Amino acid sequence: QKEVEQNSGPLSVPEGAIASLNCTYSDRGSQSFFWYRQYSGKSPELIMFIYSNGDKEDGRFTAQLNKASQYVSLLIRDSQPSDSATYLCAALTGGFKTIFGAGTRLFVKA
Amino acid sequence: SAVISQKPSRDICQRGTSLTIQCQVDSQVTMMFWYRQQPGQSLTLIATANQGSEATYESGFVIDKFPISRPNLTFSTLTVSNMSPEDSSIYLCSGGQGSLGGGVTEAFFGQGTRLTVV
């Protein structure tokens, strides 16, 4: 069973702090990894994708991938109340299917 | 990035009836997928919509219950057949481009269809 595991949270951080979201995956054949943000009642929105080991930065977001440890993370710098949402980690498996984690709820306190 | 228009956005249906959900992409995409999301849960893949051929279903989902069409690279439908209250959920389509080199595939979602079966 191919799985993507996330801490369901909630994760609470003060405004301006760094939010760190973590994810592990079981399928070593996974090729690409995605972070989606989902506001309540809305569809998931792609924030970042990463497929090479190391860090990838886009604005306030940094995705980190460690394939040896089967670990993906998302850092949100200078967190804002508008970042409060559920963050879904997803892995593209060798079968070209995307498996989603259960999501981590993030609360950014003003 | 491409935009997917999904409709209806919500519906309330009687048990035993069927509902067809449509997704239209504003550009050609290699792949389209259908997901279900129960309240407070993550996304569960129902099937991969294949252009011009039968969809590929995940374990627990069958064609008779969830027939899918994909006549071209920009359009797909999912039908929820013979509905029961257990089918109440949010249904989402997604699409994207991909490559075996690990490029982005599912990058965008439709707005979702909130289905309530009574």
PDB file of all heavy atoms in Angstrom, chain B residues 70-100:
ATOM      1  N   ARG B  70     -14.038  10.447 -21.693  1.00  0.00           N
ATOM      2  CA  ARG B  70     -13.061  11.466 -22.051  1.00  0.00           C
ATOM      3  C   ARG B  70     -12.910  11.441 -23.565  1.00  0.00           C
ATOM      4  O   ARG B  70     -11.982  10.835 -24.100  1.00  0.00           O
ATOM      5  CB  ARG B  70     -11.720  11.253 -21.369  1.00  0.00           C
ATOM      6  CG  ARG B  70     -10.841  12.473 -21.548  1.00  0.00           C
ATOM      7  CD  ARG B  70      -9.540  12.399 -20.844  1.00  0.00           C
ATOM      8  NE  ARG B  70      -8.741  13.564 -21.202  1.00  0.00           N
ATOM      9  CZ  ARG B  70      -7.441  13.648 -21.082  1.00  0.00           C
ATOM     10  NH1 ARG B  70      -6.771  12.614 -20.605  1.00  0.00           N
ATOM     11  NH2 ARG B  70      -6.803  14.731 -21.428  1.00  0.00           N
ATOM     12  N   PRO B  71     -13.785  12.147 -24.257  1.00  0.00           N
ATOM     13  CA  PRO B  71     -13.778  12.074 -25.714  1.00  0.00           C
ATOM     14  C   PRO B  71     -12.617  12.811 -26.374  1.00  0.00           C
ATOM     15  O   PRO B  71     -12.278  12.511 -27.521  1.00  0.00           O
ATOM     16  CB  PRO B  71     -15.117  12.730 -26.090  1.00  0.00           C
ATOM     17  CG  PRO B  71     -15.427  13.627 -24.941  1.00  0.00           C
ATOM     18  CD  PRO B  71     -14.905  12.928 -23.724  1.00  0.00           C
ATOM     19  N   ASN B  72     -12.004  13.772 -25.670  1.00  0.00           N
ATOM     20  CA  ASN B  72     -10.877  14.512 -26.248  1.00  0.00           C
ATOM     21  C   ASN B  72      -9.963  14.969 -25.117  1.00  0.00           C
ATOM     22  O   ASN B  72     -10.170  14.605 -23.951  1.00  0.00           O
ATOM     23  CB  ASN B  72     -11.389  15.693 -27.073  1.00  0.00           C
ATOM     24  CG  ASN B  72     -12.300  16.602 -26.279  1.00  0.00           C
ATOM     25  OD1 ASN B  72     -11.953  17.051 -25.192  1.00  0.00           O
ATOM     26  ND2 ASN B  72     -13.496  16.853 -26.809  1.00  0.00           N
ATOM     27  N   LEU B  73      -8.960  15.769 -25.454  1.00  0.00           N
ATOM     28  CA  LEU B  73      -7.943  16.138 -24.466  1.00  0.00           C
ATOM     29  C   LEU B  73      -8.347  17.315 -23.584  1.00  0.00           C
ATOM     30  O   LEU B  73      -7.554  17.771 -22.765  1.00  0.00           O
ATOM     31  CB  LEU B  73      -6.625  16.467 -25.193  1.00  0.00           C
ATOM     32  CG  LEU B  73      -5.934  15.282 -25.858  1.00  0.00           C
ATOM     33  CD1 LEU B  73      -4.696  15.741 -26.611  1.00  0.00           C
ATOM     34  CD2 LEU B  73      -5.547  14.227 -24.832  1.00  0.00           C
ATOM     35  N   THR B  74      -9.562  17.817 -23.750  1.00  0.00           N
ATOM     36  CA  THR B  74      -9.973  18.970 -22.948  1.00  0.00           C
ATOM     37  C   THR B  74     -11.249  18.737 -22.142  1.00  0.00           C
ATOM     38  O   THR B  74     -11.690  19.637 -21.422  1.00  0.00           O
ATOM     39  CB  THR B  74     -10.194  20.214 -23.841  1.00  0.00           C
ATOM     40  OG1 THR B  74     -11.283  19.955 -24.728  1.00  0.00           O
ATOM     41  CG2 THR B  74      -8.935  20.553 -24.630  1.00  0.00           C
ATOM     42  N   PHE B  75     -11.859  17.571 -22.231  1.00  0.00           N
ATOM     43  CA  PHE B  75     -13.171  17.374 -21.635  1.00  0.00           C
ATOM     44  C   PHE B  75     -13.301  15.981 -21.039  1.00  0.00           C
ATOM     45  O   PHE B  75     -12.825  14.998 -21.615  1.00  0.00           O
ATOM     46  CB  PHE B  75     -14.249  17.589 -22.709  1.00  0.00           C
ATOM     47  CG  PHE B  75     -15.659  17.543 -22.190  1.00  0.00           C
ATOM     48  CD1 PHE B  75     -16.207  18.628 -21.512  1.00  0.00           C
ATOM     49  CD2 PHE B  75     -16.443  16.414 -22.376  1.00  0.00           C
ATOM     50  CE1 PHE B  75     -17.508  18.585 -21.039  1.00  0.00           C
ATOM     51  CE2 PHE B  75     -17.746  16.362 -21.903  1.00  0.00           C
ATOM     52  CZ  PHE B  75     -18.275  17.457 -21.233  1.00  0.00           C
ATOM     53  N   SER B  76     -13.977  15.906 -19.901  1.00  0.00           N
ATOM     54  CA  SER B  76     -14.252  14.614 -19.275  1.00  0.00           C
ATOM     55  C   SER B  76     -15.510  14.720 -18.444  1.00  0.00           C
ATOM     56  O   SER B  76     -15.861  15.810 -17.950  1.00  0.00           O
ATOM     57  CB  SER B  76     -13.084  14.180 -18.384  1.00  0.00           C
ATOM     58  OG  SER B  76     -13.343  12.923 -17.789  1.00  0.00           O
ATOM     59  N   THR B  77     -16.195  13.610 -18.296  1.00  0.00           N
ATOM     60  CA  THR B  77     -17.358  13.548 -17.421  1.00  0.00           C
ATOM     61  C   THR B  77     -17.241  12.362 -16.482  1.00  0.00           C
ATOM     62  O   THR B  77     -16.639  11.337 -16.820  1.00  0.00           O
ATOM     63  CB  THR B  77     -18.674  13.409 -18.205  1.00  0.00           C
ATOM     64  OG1 THR B  77     -18.710  12.137 -18.863  1.00  0.00           O
ATOM     65  CG2 THR B  77     -18.830  14.519 -19.223  1.00  0.00           C
ATOM     66  N   LEU B  78     -17.809  12.533 -15.308  1.00  0.00           N
ATOM     67  CA  LEU B  78     -17.955  11.456 -14.328  1.00  0.00           C
ATOM     68  C   LEU B  78     -19.427  11.364 -13.978  1.00  0.00           C
ATOM     69  O   LEU B  78     -20.057  12.378 -13.652  1.00  0.00           O
ATOM     70  CB  LEU B  78     -17.145  11.763 -13.067  1.00  0.00           C
ATOM     71  CG  LEU B  78     -17.436  10.880 -11.847  1.00  0.00           C
ATOM     72  CD1 LEU B  78     -16.814   9.505 -12.020  1.00  0.00           C
ATOM     73  CD2 LEU B  78     -16.919  11.535 -10.564  1.00  0.00           C
ATOM     74  N   THR B  79     -19.982  10.166 -14.045  1.00  0.00           N
ATOM     75  CA  THR B  79     -21.358   9.949 -13.629  1.00  0.00           C
ATOM     76  C   THR B  79     -21.367   9.146 -12.337  1.00  0.00           C
ATOM     77  O   THR B  79     -20.653   8.144 -12.224  1.00  0.00           O
ATOM     78  CB  THR B  79     -22.151   9.192 -14.716  1.00  0.00           C
ATOM     79  OG1 THR B  79     -22.182   9.993 -15.909  1.00  0.00           O
ATOM     80  CG2 THR B  79     -23.583   8.930 -14.263  1.00  0.00           C
ATOM     81  N   VAL B  80     -22.113   9.616 -11.382  1.00  0.00           N
ATOM     82  CA  VAL B  80     -22.337   8.865 -10.147  1.00  0.00           C
ATOM     83  C   VAL B  80     -23.706   8.207 -10.299  1.00  0.00           C
ATOM     84  O   VAL B  80     -24.731   8.904 -10.362  1.00  0.00           O
ATOM     85  CB  VAL B  80     -22.295   9.769  -8.901  1.00  0.00           C
ATOM     86  CG1 VAL B  80     -22.383   8.926  -7.633  1.00  0.00           C
ATOM     87  CG2 VAL B  80     -21.021  10.618  -8.891  1.00  0.00           C
ATOM     88  N   SER B  81     -23.700   6.882 -10.400  1.00  0.00           N
ATOM     89  CA  SER B  81     -24.915   6.153 -10.763  1.00  0.00           C
ATOM     90  C   SER B  81     -25.611   5.561  -9.550  1.00  0.00           C
ATOM     91  O   SER B  81     -24.969   5.230  -8.551  1.00  0.00           O
ATOM     92  CB  SER B  81     -24.564   5.019 -11.734  1.00  0.00           C
ATOM     93  OG  SER B  81     -23.928   5.500 -12.881  1.00  0.00           O
ATOM     94  N   ASN B  82     -26.924   5.426  -9.671  1.00  0.00           N
ATOM     95  CA  ASN B  82     -27.719   4.759  -8.633  1.00  0.00           C
ATOM     96  C   ASN B  82     -27.274   5.228  -7.247  1.00  0.00           C
ATOM     97  O   ASN B  82     -26.838   4.449  -6.410  1.00  0.00           O
ATOM     98  CB  ASN B  82     -27.587   3.247  -8.758  1.00  0.00           C
ATOM     99  CG  ASN B  82     -28.531   2.492  -7.843  1.00  0.00           C
ATOM    100  OD1 ASN B  82     -29.578   3.011  -7.448  1.00  0.00           O
ATOM    101  ND2 ASN B  82     -28.172   1.267  -7.499  1.00  0.00           N
ATOM    102  N   MET B  83     -27.391   6.511  -7.035  1.00  0.00           N
ATOM    103  CA  MET B  83     -26.802   7.136  -5.852  1.00  0.00           C
ATOM    104  C   MET B  83     -27.459   6.715  -4.549  1.00  0.00           C
ATOM    105  O   MET B  83     -28.667   6.457  -4.481  1.00  0.00           O
ATOM    106  CB  MET B  83     -26.859   8.656  -5.999  1.00  0.00           C
ATOM    107  CG  MET B  83     -25.875   9.193  -7.028  1.00  0.00           C
ATOM    108  SD  MET B  83     -25.877  10.975  -7.120  1.00  0.00           S
ATOM    109  CE  MET B  83     -27.381  11.267  -8.034  1.00  0.00           C
ATOM    110  N   SER B  84     -26.658   6.673  -3.517  1.00  0.00           N
ATOM    111  CA  SER B  84     -27.105   6.438  -2.148  1.00  0.00           C
ATOM    112  C   SER B  84     -26.510   7.539  -1.274  1.00  0.00           C
ATOM    113  O   SER B  84     -25.579   8.241  -1.698  1.00  0.00           O
ATOM    114  CB  SER B  84     -26.660   5.063  -1.662  1.00  0.00           C
ATOM    115  OG  SER B  84     -25.254   5.023  -1.550  1.00  0.00           O
ATOM    116  N   PRO B  85     -27.019   7.716  -0.064  1.00  0.00           N
ATOM    117  CA  PRO B  85     -26.458   8.760   0.816  1.00  0.00           C
ATOM    118  C   PRO B  85     -24.945   8.631   1.024  1.00  0.00           C
ATOM    119  O   PRO B  85     -24.275   9.650   1.261  1.00  0.00           O
ATOM    120  CB  PRO B  85     -27.226   8.558   2.124  1.00  0.00           C
ATOM    121  CG  PRO B  85     -28.545   8.018   1.680  1.00  0.00           C
ATOM    122  CD  PRO B  85     -28.225   7.117   0.514  1.00  0.00           C
ATOM    123  N   GLU B  86     -24.415   7.414   0.921  1.00  0.00           N
ATOM    124  CA  GLU B  86     -22.966   7.220   1.103  1.00  0.00           C
ATOM    125  C   GLU B  86     -22.147   7.872  -0.012  1.00  0.00           C
ATOM    126  O   GLU B  86     -20.931   8.052   0.118  1.00  0.00           O
ATOM    127  CB  GLU B  86     -22.625   5.726   1.159  1.00  0.00           C
ATOM    128  CG  GLU B  86     -23.138   4.997   2.398  1.00  0.00           C
ATOM    129  CD  GLU B  86     -24.641   4.817   2.407  1.00  0.00           C
ATOM    130  OE1 GLU B  86     -25.241   4.643   1.316  1.00  0.00           O
ATOM    131  OE2 GLU B  86     -25.237   4.885   3.504  1.00  0.00           O
ATOM    132  N   ASP B  87     -22.789   8.221  -1.102  1.00  0.00           N
ATOM    133  CA  ASP B  87     -22.097   8.890  -2.202  1.00  0.00           C
ATOM    134  C   ASP B  87     -21.995  10.397  -1.981  1.00  0.00           C
ATOM    135  O   ASP B  87     -21.344  11.090  -2.774  1.00  0.00           O
ATOM    136  CB  ASP B  87     -22.825   8.622  -3.524  1.00  0.00           C
ATOM    137  CG  ASP B  87     -22.800   7.165  -3.936  1.00  0.00           C
ATOM    138  OD1 ASP B  87     -21.743   6.514  -3.746  1.00  0.00           O
ATOM    139  OD2 ASP B  87     -23.828   6.665  -4.430  1.00  0.00           O
ATOM    140  N   SER B  88     -22.607  10.890  -0.929  1.00  0.00           N
ATOM    141  CA  SER B  88     -22.512  12.325  -0.629  1.00  0.00           C
ATOM    142  C   SER B  88     -21.054  12.670  -0.358  1.00  0.00           C
ATOM    143  O   SER B  88     -20.412  12.108   0.530  1.00  0.00           O
ATOM    144  CB  SER B  88     -23.369  12.677   0.584  1.00  0.00           C
ATOM    145  OG  SER B  88     -24.736  12.415   0.318  1.00  0.00           O
ATOM    146  N   SER B  89     -20.526  13.613  -1.130  1.00  0.00           N
ATOM    147  CA  SER B  89     -19.104  13.918  -1.052  1.00  0.00           C
ATOM    148  C   SER B  89     -18.824  15.092  -1.983  1.00  0.00           C
ATOM    149  O   SER B  89     -19.715  15.591  -2.664  1.00  0.00           O
ATOM    150  CB  SER B  89     -18.278  12.704  -1.492  1.00  0.00           C
ATOM    151  OG  SER B  89     -16.906  12.922  -1.308  1.00  0.00           O
ATOM    152  N   ILE B  90     -17.570  15.506  -1.997  1.00  0.00           N
ATOM    153  CA  ILE B  90     -17.111  16.457  -2.999  1.00  0.00           C
ATOM    154  C   ILE B  90     -16.349  15.676  -4.063  1.00  0.00           C
ATOM    155  O   ILE B  90     -15.475  14.875  -3.735  1.00  0.00           O
ATOM    156  CB  ILE B  90     -16.205  17.534  -2.379  1.00  0.00           C
ATOM    157  CG1 ILE B  90     -16.991  18.359  -1.361  1.00  0.00           C
ATOM    158  CG2 ILE B  90     -15.631  18.448  -3.471  1.00  0.00           C
ATOM    159  CD1 ILE B  90     -16.134  19.315  -0.568  1.00  0.00           C
ATOM    160  N   TYR B  91     -16.692  15.923  -5.307  1.00  0.00           N
ATOM    161  CA  TYR B  91     -16.024  15.265  -6.418  1.00  0.00           C
ATOM    162  C   TYR B  91     -15.195  16.314  -7.162  1.00  0.00           C
ATOM    163  O   TYR B  91     -15.680  17.399  -7.487  1.00  0.00           O
ATOM    164  CB  TYR B  91     -17.046  14.602  -7.339  1.00  0.00           C
ATOM    165  CG  TYR B  91     -17.732  13.427  -6.661  1.00  0.00           C
ATOM    166  CD1 TYR B  91     -18.832  13.628  -5.830  1.00  0.00           C
ATOM    167  CD2 TYR B  91     -17.250  12.130  -6.818  1.00  0.00           C
ATOM    168  CE1 TYR B  91     -19.436  12.564  -5.185  1.00  0.00           C
ATOM    169  CE2 TYR B  91     -17.867  11.064  -6.174  1.00  0.00           C
ATOM    170  CZ  TYR B  91     -18.956  11.291  -5.358  1.00  0.00           C
ATOM    171  OH  TYR B  91     -19.549  10.230  -4.708  1.00  0.00           O
ATOM    172  N   LEU B  92     -13.957  15.956  -7.431  1.00  0.00           N
ATOM    173  CA  LEU B  92     -13.021  16.897  -8.053  1.00  0.00           C
ATOM    174  C   LEU B  92     -12.379  16.257  -9.265  1.00  0.00           C
ATOM    175  O   LEU B  92     -11.996  15.088  -9.231  1.00  0.00           O
ATOM    176  CB  LEU B  92     -11.916  17.286  -7.073  1.00  0.00           C
ATOM    177  CG  LEU B  92     -12.331  18.104  -5.860  1.00  0.00           C
ATOM    178  CD1 LEU B  92     -11.480  17.757  -4.664  1.00  0.00           C
ATOM    179  CD2 LEU B  92     -12.204  19.579  -6.176  1.00  0.00           C
ATOM    180  N   CYS B  93     -12.228  17.035 -10.324  1.00  0.00           N
ATOM    181  CA  CYS B  93     -11.408  16.585 -11.439  1.00  0.00           C
ATOM    182  C   CYS B  93     -10.105  17.373 -11.421  1.00  0.00           C
ATOM    183  O   CYS B  93     -10.038  18.492 -10.906  1.00  0.00           O
ATOM    184  CB  CYS B  93     -12.123  16.752 -12.769  1.00  0.00           C
ATOM    185  SG  CYS B  93     -12.503  18.444 -13.217  1.00  0.00           S
ATOM    186  N   SER B  94      -9.078  16.771 -11.956  1.00  0.00           N
ATOM    187  CA  SER B  94      -7.796  17.457 -12.051  1.00  0.00           C
ATOM    188  C   SER B  94      -7.147  17.104 -13.369  1.00  0.00           C
ATOM    189  O   SER B  94      -7.478  16.095 -13.995  1.00  0.00           O
ATOM    190  CB  SER B  94      -6.874  17.102 -10.891  1.00  0.00           C
ATOM    191  OG  SER B  94      -6.344  15.813 -11.057  1.00  0.00           O
ATOM    192  N   GLY B  95      -6.208  17.937 -13.755  1.00  0.00           N
ATOM    193  CA  GLY B  95      -5.532  17.695 -15.017  1.00  0.00           C
ATOM    194  C   GLY B  95      -4.146  18.283 -15.022  1.00  0.00           C
ATOM    195  O   GLY B  95      -3.787  19.094 -14.167  1.00  0.00           O
ATOM    196  N   GLY B  96      -3.357  17.847 -15.964  1.00  0.00           N
ATOM    197  CA  GLY B  96      -2.026  18.401 -16.085  1.00  0.00           C
ATOM    198  C   GLY B  96      -1.236  17.691 -17.161  1.00  0.00           C
ATOM    199  O   GLY B  96      -1.724  16.769 -17.818  1.00  0.00           O
ATOM    200  N   GLN B  97      -0.015  18.150 -17.331  1.00  0.00           N
ATOM    201  CA  GLN B  97       0.893  17.546 -18.277  1.00  0.00           C
ATOM    202  C   GLN B  97       1.940  16.778 -17.496  1.00  0.00           C
ATOM    203  O   GLN B  97       2.252  17.099 -16.367  1.00  0.00           O
ATOM    204  CB  GLN B  97       1.581  18.627 -19.120  1.00  0.00           C
ATOM    205  CG  GLN B  97       0.633  19.598 -19.773  1.00  0.00           C
ATOM    206  CD  GLN B  97      -0.219  18.959 -20.839  1.00  0.00           C
ATOM    207  OE1 GLN B  97      -0.064  17.792 -21.153  1.00  0.00           O
ATOM    208  NE2 GLN B  97      -1.142  19.710 -21.392  1.00  0.00           N
ATOM    209  N   GLY B  98       2.521  15.781 -18.086  1.00  0.00           N
ATOM    210  CA  GLY B  98       3.523  15.003 -17.384  1.00  0.00           C
ATOM    211  C   GLY B  98       4.575  14.466 -18.295  1.00  0.00           C
ATOM    212  O   GLY B  98       4.428  14.472 -19.512  1.00  0.00           O
ATOM    213  N   SER B  99       5.636  14.023 -17.674  1.00  0.00           N
ATOM    214  CA  SER B  99       6.698  13.372 -18.426  1.00  0.00           C
ATOM    215  C   SER B  99       7.341  12.338 -17.533  1.00  0.00           C
ATOM    216  O   SER B  99       7.339  12.481 -16.308  1.00  0.00           O
ATOM    217  CB  SER B  99       7.744  14.379 -18.900  1.00  0.00           C
ATOM    218  OG  SER B  99       8.504  14.853 -17.791  1.00  0.00           O
ATOM    219  N   LEU B 100       7.896  11.317 -18.113  1.00  0.00           N
ATOM    220  CA  LEU B 100       8.529  10.278 -17.324  1.00  0.00           C
ATOM    221  C   LEU B 100       9.773  10.793 -16.624  1.00  0.00           C
ATOM    222  O   LEU B 100      10.286  10.151 -15.729  1.00  0.00           O
ATOM    223  CB  LEU B 100       8.873   9.075 -18.220  1.00  0.00           C
ATOM    224  CG  LEU B 100       7.656   8.305 -18.749  1.00  0.00           C
ATOM    225  CD1 LEU B 100       8.084   7.198 -19.689  1.00  0.00           C
ATOM    226  CD2 LEU B 100       6.860   7.727 -17.585  1.00  0.00           C
TER     227      LEU B 100
END
